[in-house]
Amino acid sequence: MIKRSLIFGALVALLLGGCIGQTPAASPTPVPEVQVLTVMTHDSFAVSAELVQQFEADNGVKVNFIKGGDAGTTLNRLILTSLGGTPEADVFYGLDNTFLSRALEQDLLEAYAAPALAEIPAEFQLDLSNRALPVDYGDVCINYDKAWFQEHELPVPQSLEDLTKPEYAGLLVVENPATSSPGLSFLLATIATFGEDGWQSYWQALKDNGVVVVSDWETAYYTNFSGSSGRGPQPLVVSYASSPAAELIYAETPLTEAPTGSIVADGACWRQVEFAGILKGTPNRALAEKFIDFMLSQPFQEDMPLQMFVYPVLPSAKLPEAFVKASEVPQKPATLDPELIAQKREAWVQAWTELMLK
Amino acid sequence: MKHPGTKSVLRAGLLWLLPATFLLVFFYQPLLAILRLAFSPAFEGSWQGESTAQVLKPLGFTFWQAALSTLLTLLVGLPAAYLFSHFDFKGREALRLLSLLPFILPTVVVAACFNTLLGPRGWLNLGLMALLNLSEPPIHMLQSLPAILLAHVFYNTAIIIRLVGSAWSRLDKKLVYAAQMLGANPWQAFREVTLPLLLPAITGASLLVFLFDFTSFGVVLMLGGPQFATLEVEIYTQALYMLNLRLAAVLSLVQLACTLLVAWLQSRVSQLRYGKAALSAERANLRPPRGAAEKTFTVVMTIILVLLILTPLISLITRSFVTLEAARGERGQVQTGFTLRYYQELFQNRTGSLFYVPPIMAVRNSLVYAALTVVIAIVLGLLGTYALNQPWKANRIFEPFFMLPLGASAVTLGLGFLVTFRQPAWSVLPFPLLIPIAHALVALPMVVRTLLPALRSIPSSLRQAASTLGADGRRVFCEVDLPLLLRPLLVSMVFAFTISLGEFGASSFLSSPQTPTIPVAIYRYISQPGALNYGQALAMSSLLLMVCAAGIFLIEKIRLPGEELY
């Protein structure tokens, strides 16, 4: 009789003991006096292990990363937790020009005039107070499925206006700007191109032409886009100018040419510049400065393209071959004043929602 | 039972101590912290209640889709529960186990699964187009309300099967026979005997399904599309995109109030006329289907379940072994072939990334969190269930509060966690430990919902008899309660395990990027362009399915020695 409960108890104990024994986190290993630098970043952040280990060895520091969602949610998470007490990290990377003003307004960052800024082109230095330092850039563009347009003997659209033509009816899928970062970028590109008075009638024309709206990039690219592995119905999707390079690098069998391309006509893409900054109130100011310098150094700048599919801001950084081959950089991407974006973003998204979803 | 003495109040209080402390510290504290922030002057300007439509519109839709989804889930789940609790047929065990697997799949993967099945170029449409000679795909299922409903049924049928099925199989058939002997026809016997006895389990399971649908997020966002917004989707958008924390908090409070209301209603209904029935062992009720009607029922139900639950899973696993675009873009033609490439690639860190995690490590992380979740949820759940079973008036007020974590917005609670536990005072707590704690918060109500009806159905005469024969309290628990509770306990363990394994939101919020769980790793692949990334996401999902199936299989193998006696 007693045996029975003993066996059950032993089982529970085994389960308990088993997991406590192997929990990496629960076992508080006595750490020697190594300083920890915490970097808050977005989900797409990636870096070579080798580089970070080198930085850690050089500075006698352990770097901890926290990922807070996409560019927008990461910033908002930082703002909310800073309001609730101490900031979660020492360094923030992944702020982009659509959210720049909000971060500056909320006074999240400390100024740092990094020496490397001297080499970075002025077009990227959008914050003259040097609180947000440019690290990389990329472009949100429409990708097209090369095979689809070949098969249907249809010319690839050459501009945003082309997309409202009847021959392209129902062929474009975009993301909801209220829930998706590239979706917001594309909306801003249309506002930059058609002006504050014209963008709504442009979207009305898109709507009449059967544009498909989905919530997020994953659905747009893998469920709706015909050029991806998901083999969806739409041959045009709002994605990144570097996506064709990614298709080439992550192809299943080596390809000589990317299966997709980007429409890089003037004004058709949105230029996204990403920034890093030192979070206000950090007790590790000196280390944080070193980490910023590290991000702006040649090795890190050359590592970024293949890790995150973005372009380095440092002109001397060399690009990998697949980038040169498959990704075109738009000559005249659309931009808007960060100040204006900060003022109007919510109103624009609201108006867009009213127009497209109601 | 009508005159609870101070002794039983004391006992209830003692039993309450641990679960209540847990909920206070890890649920109510972070919730209050984030609400306080939302209503602080920092968010003065964000929302003044100028537009009630912003609350009422998502509220209406949330109720509507949740009610509809729950009804549909019951429609499939109740016959399925009957099937599994009464008939022994080939493949029963396998089908029962597989029916739980949808529960763990991340929405982004389910969306991909449904697309390969029902999408414009999914095999259903391709087949119909070939069969009927159509030029356009006839079925437009994705990005619509039916897609949301279908996904909810796909996800939650297992809850009905497990909870109601477990209660149904423990029901003593003799009661039904007795009713029939007294002249009742099968329908009367069902209505007068079976249904009242099953009611606590049915309403309890429906409540869980309803709350899961009510707080649905990923399904609505990805399968429903941007024209649909539940409260949870609105909270997410408002808090994390619009930085309108005030409105997000108001929406969260509305969601919590609804949860309380529904939970309270359920506890009223289930107390209305629950009876105590003698119990029998699960397998004792099983027999092969006899006669044409029972055989047809078995075959039809099996087909429905296979179509509903298995086909998306099979299409997912198949797709992880098949290459579709050998040279897309070069020849403009789709080529197919068998490949192991996606799985091989999982084991390679091609770019030397710092965040690369070998599949084994992701599996290990997930299993450690899942095991901890099971332990926390079962220990606290058992205590809570016994506390609720004490004849103490206050229990009736406490019971709905136990369900509240299921109705809490994941975003709000997640932000609450960050605001609360990132503070220096909590730095002693190893941060990743918050992951199984967050998972246990979701699992706890499920455990209580599973155990409570079972515990209440144990006739007190059994315990009294044991006491009369000289057994002390612990003996009574071990000899009477435990054997009778074992099945429901295993059901709860399985649920806690699967909830933890499949959970994505809290894990991605709280985990360090160097120690991701399987769903976090899946998401990492599918959020990048490229055929290999897509393939690896599917391969990792198949791995998740296998790990989960193995886990459930092992848990269900737990037996008490001599259990056959019951």
Side-chain angles (χ1 to χ4, degrees):
Chain A
M1 302 274 160
I2 290 166
K3 230 166 82 191
R4 241 183 257 168
S5 51
L6 267 181
I7 289 174
F8 189 75
L11 222 120
V12 171
L14 203 80
L15 204 64
L16 253 164
C19 27
I20 287 169
Q22 49 177 279
T23 316
S27 54
T29 38
V31 192
E33 286 291 305
V34 172
Q35 270 188 295
V36 176
L37 185 78
T38 309
V39 178
M40 181 87 174
T41 179
H42 51 51
D43 283 347
S44 338
F45 177 73
V47 56
S48 291
E50 214 182 306
L51 281 181
V52 175
Q53 281 153 10
Q54 188 63 48
F55 177 82
E56 288 179 332
D58 289 349
N59 297 289
V61 64
K62 169 94 191 71
V63 185
N64 247 344
F65 293 94
I66 306 175
K67 293 189 174 188
D70 73 9
T73 58
T74 309
L75 169 66
N76 287 344
R77 176 174 158 172
L78 261 179
I79 293 174
L80 292 177
T81 47
S82 308
L83 284 172
T86 43
E88 277 187 85
D90 305 301
V91 174
F92 173 31
Y93 161 71
L95 177 65
D96 72 8
N97 47 330
T98 56
F99 286 103
L100 177 65
S101 292
R102 180 181 284 176
L104 298 180
E105 235 170 64
Q106 296 279 345
D107 207 15
L108 276 182
L109 306 170
E110 288 177 4
Y112 171 49
L117 281 176
E119 294 167 54
I120 295 170
E123 57 175 305
F124 299 123
Q125 301 196 26
L126 297 177
D127 172 32
L128 296 175
S129 64
N130 287 337
R131 285 178 289 172
L133 291 84
V135 176
D136 65 86
Y137 69 96
D139 297 280
V140 172
C141 295
I142 291 173
N143 284 189
Y144 61 92
D145 177 0
K146 283 182 183 168
W148 193 96
F149 281 96
Q150 241 167 48
E151 273 165 41
H152 291 75
E153 292 175 357
L154 202 66
V156 175
Q158 286 308 312
S159 65
L160 292 181
E161 286 91 344
D162 277 359
L163 296 169
T164 59
K165 290 182 181 162
E167 59 260 44
Y168 300 116
L171 299 188
L172 172 67
V173 57
V174 303
E175 298 90 357
N176 181 358
T179 51
S180 156
S181 213
L184 178 63
S185 296
F186 184 65
L187 171 62
L188 293 177
T190 62
I191 294 173
T193 304
F194 299 100
E196 278 200 69
D197 303 320
W199 70 268
Q200 296 211 29
S201 48
Y202 174 71
W203 278 94
Q204 185 61 52
L206 276 185
K207 191 180 181 182
D208 296 340
N209 211 24
V211 66
V212 178
V213 183
V214 298
S215 300
D216 52 317
W217 178 89
E218 286 77 13
T219 310
Y221 198 81
Y222 279 121
T223 303
N224 287 72
F225 183 43
S226 64
S228 76
S229 306
R231 298 203 300 139
Q234 277 86 31
L236 296 167
V237 64
V238 170
S239 187
Y240 297 88
S242 61
S243 303
E247 286 288 346
L248 198 61
I249 289 162
Y250 289 107
E252 201 161 345
T253 44
L255 299 178
T256 48
E257 192 194 329
T260 61
S262 301
I263 300 170
V264 292
D266 290 355
C269 299
W270 173 257
R271 170 64 48 94
Q272 225 171 2
V273 183
E274 288 193 298
F275 304 87
I278 299 172
L279 282 161
K280 201 159 202 172
T282 167
N284 300 313
R285 166 86 197 190
L287 270 175
E289 283 183 7
K290 281 197 176 137
F291 194 80
I292 300 269
D293 291 342
F294 164 69
M295 294 185 94
L296 296 178
S297 68
Q298 186 118 357
F300 186 92
Q301 289 279 311
E302 286 182 356
D303 185 51
M304 280 189 313
L306 284 184
Q307 294 288 352
M308 292 186 271
F309 289 91
V310 293
Y311 288 82
V313 287
L314 205 66
S316 56
K318 276 199 238 12
L319 278 177
E321 204 197 316
F323 264 66
V324 182
K325 219 156 102 183
S327 290
E328 288 182 78
V329 181
Q331 292 307 307
K332 280 193 185 141
T335 49
L336 285 171
D337 178 20
E339 202 66 41
L340 183 70
I341 302 174
Q343 276 168 26
K344 296 279 181 68
R345 183 183 36 234
E346 269 81 38
W348 286 335
V349 171
Q350 204 67 48
W352 183 93
T353 309
E354 289 292 326
L355 180 68
M356 299 301 288
L357 301 179
K358 295 283 152 76
Chain B
M1 287 282 199
K2 270 180 190 156
H3 305 286
T6 40
K7 213 174 152 193
S8 61
V9 171
L10 194 70
R11 199 183 305 150
L14 271 177
L15 287 165
W16 268 119
L17 195 65
L18 224 54
T21 312
F22 180 78
L23 285 181
L24 278 176
V25 173
F26 293 111
F27 180 69
Y28 290 100
Q29 181 192 211
L31 199 63
L32 278 177
I34 197 70
L35 289 178
R36 212 171 38 222
L37 181 60
F39 291 100
S40 71
F43 289 92
E44 198 63 41
S46 64
W47 194 68
Q48 311 281 8
E50 62 268 24
S51 161
T52 44
Q54 275 182 294
V55 177
L56 292 180
K57 204 174 162 247
L59 178 65
F61 175 71
T62 308
F63 252 110
W64 160 243
Q65 62 82 22
L68 217 55
S69 302
T70 310
L71 273 179
L72 286 172
T73 311
L74 279 171
L75 210 62
V76 180
L78 284 181
Y82 181 76
L83 176 77
F84 287 118
S85 56
H86 286 73
F87 299 125
D88 200 5
F89 55 94
K90 235 186 213 153
R92 175 185 177 274
E93 284 301 314
L95 193 60
R96 214 174 84 92
L97 193 152
L98 291 173
S99 70
L100 251 180
L101 294 185
F103 212 71
I104 55 159
L105 280 181
T107 331
V108 71
V109 176
V110 171
C113 273
F114 277 27
N115 188 45
T116 58
L117 265 181
L118 304 168
R121 285 208 236 169
W123 66 255
L124 190 63
N125 267 323
L126 288 182
L128 283 174
M129 279 160 72
L131 202 70
L132 305 171
N133 227 341
L134 301 169
S135 59
E136 288 289 309
I139 299 173
H140 299 275
M141 263 295 283
L142 302 174
Q143 304 279 311
S144 64
L145 185 62
I148 297 178
L149 300 179
L150 184 69
H152 282 161
V153 175
F154 173 73
Y155 266 114
N156 295 331
T157 301
I159 300 182
I160 307 283
I161 293 181
R162 295 282 152 152
L163 263 59
V164 179
S166 143
W168 215 332
S169 62
R170 280 178 295 109
L171 217 117
D172 198 335
K173 279 264 185 59
K174 283 187 221 100
L175 288 170
V176 180
Y177 296 148
Q180 286 176 340
M181 210 98 85
L182 292 169
N185 63 32
W187 167 241
Q188 280 172 324
F190 175 78
R191 212 185 51 204
E192 300 294 330
V193 179
T194 313
L195 196 59
L197 289 171
L198 280 185
L199 206 60
I202 295 177
T203 57
S206 309
L207 172 71
L208 289 174
V209 173
F210 182 85
L211 288 182
F212 273 115
D213 295 337
F214 193 73
T215 55
S216 183
F217 171 68
V219 166
V220 177
L221 202 64
M222 287 174 188
L223 286 163
Q227 60 272 46
F228 300 106
T230 49
L231 287 170
E232 188 73 46
V233 170
E234 268 308 302
I235 292 169
Y236 168 76
T237 317
Q238 293 300 335
L240 289 177
Y241 280 92
M242 302 293 185
L243 202 62
N244 190 343
L245 195 62
R246 180 77 58 93
L247 178 54
V250 170
L251 290 165
S252 309
L253 285 173
V254 169
Q255 192 170 318
L256 284 173
C258 294
T259 307
L260 262 186
L261 183 76
V262 175
W264 177 78
L265 275 178
Q266 189 270 338
S267 79
R268 300 295 304 174
V269 171
S270 72
Q271 276 171 359
L272 220 52
R273 45 191 298 205
Y274 73 83
K276 299 203 184 244
L279 300 145
S280 60
E282 188 184 351
R283 305 252 354 150
N285 275 336
L286 285 182
R287 59 173 175 78
R290 282 190 295 255
E294 287 185 3
K295 277 184 182 148
T296 320
F297 172 76
T298 307
V299 171
V300 169
M301 258 338 276
T302 309
I303 292 174
I304 290 177
L305 288 176
V306 166
L307 277 182
L308 179 73
I309 289 162
L310 280 195
T311 40
L313 299 181
I314 290 170
S315 89
L316 166 71
I317 296 172
T318 316
R319 187 66 182 77
S320 73
F321 287 108
V322 173
T323 164
L324 281 182
E325 33 272 298
R328 259 182 89 68
E330 292 187 344
R331 277 169 241 157
Q333 215 170 41
V334 176
Q335 299 190 335
T336 52
F338 175 81
T339 184
L340 285 174
R341 189 63 201 289
Y342 301 137
Y343 288 90
Q344 289 161 354
E345 200 67 27
L346 281 181
F347 293 89
Q348 279 179 30
N349 184 5
R350 277 228 262 173
T351 55
S353 169
L354 179 66
F355 302 114
Y356 167 77
V357 162
I360 299 301
M361 290 309 287
V363 168
R364 197 195 80 140
N365 294 338
S366 278
L367 283 179
V368 169
Y369 294 141
L372 282 172
T373 306
V374 169
V375 172
I376 299 173
I378 291 295
V379 169
L380 296 178
L382 259 179
L383 288 172
T385 310
Y386 271 89
L388 283 174
N389 201 39
Q390 297 298 319
W392 185 24
K393 267 209 180 119
N395 268 341
R396 202 173 289 178
I397 300 160
F398 287 156
E399 199 181 326
F401 280 91
F402 234 102
M403 301 302 293
L404 215 48
L406 261 192
S409 151
V411 175
T412 316
L413 190 62
L415 287 172
F417 261 57
L418 294 179
V419 171
T420 311
F421 299 115
R422 281 276 191 224
Q423 300 308 315
W426 286 95
S427 62
V428 281
L429 193 77
F431 204 66
L433 201 60
L434 284 177
I435 296 174
I437 287 174
H439 293 175
L441 277 177
V442 183
L444 198 54
M446 291 211 70
V447 173
V448 172
R449 271 297 123 221
T450 314
L451 293 181
L452 196 58
L455 186 65
R456 280 183 178 157
S457 70
I458 297 176
S460 41
S461 58
L462 274 182
R463 287 201 200 99
Q464 282 154 8
S467 305
T468 318
L469 291 169
D472 58 11
R474 186 185 303 170
R475 265 298 273 293
V476 172
F477 174 77
C478 292
E479 302 289 327
V480 178
D481 291 16
L482 197 55
L484 289 172
L485 280 182
L486 183 71
R487 287 284 120 197
L489 257 178
L490 293 186
V491 172
S492 338
M493 284 168 83
V494 164
F495 273 126
F497 178 77
T498 43
I499 283 174
S500 171
L501 218 52
E503 207 278 341
F504 171 71
S507 313
S508 71
F509 233 63
L510 301 171
S511 72
S512 124
Q514 275 112 319
T515 52
T517 60
I518 307 177
V520 173
I522 294 172
Y523 182 77
R524 231 178 246 180
Y525 288 119
I526 209 162
S527 59
Q528 276 187 31
L532 270 183
N533 286 319
Y534 183 77
Q536 287 184 83
L538 297 188
M540 201 73 178
S541 308
S542 306
L543 217 59
L544 174 65
L545 286 176
M546 283 175 247
V547 168
C548 186
I552 300 172
F553 182 77
L554 284 178
I555 293 178
E556 298 205 321
K557 277 275 165 285
I558 298 177
R559 289 277 185 278
L560 285 178
E563 192 201 329
E564 305 77 47
L565 295 174
Y566 291 90

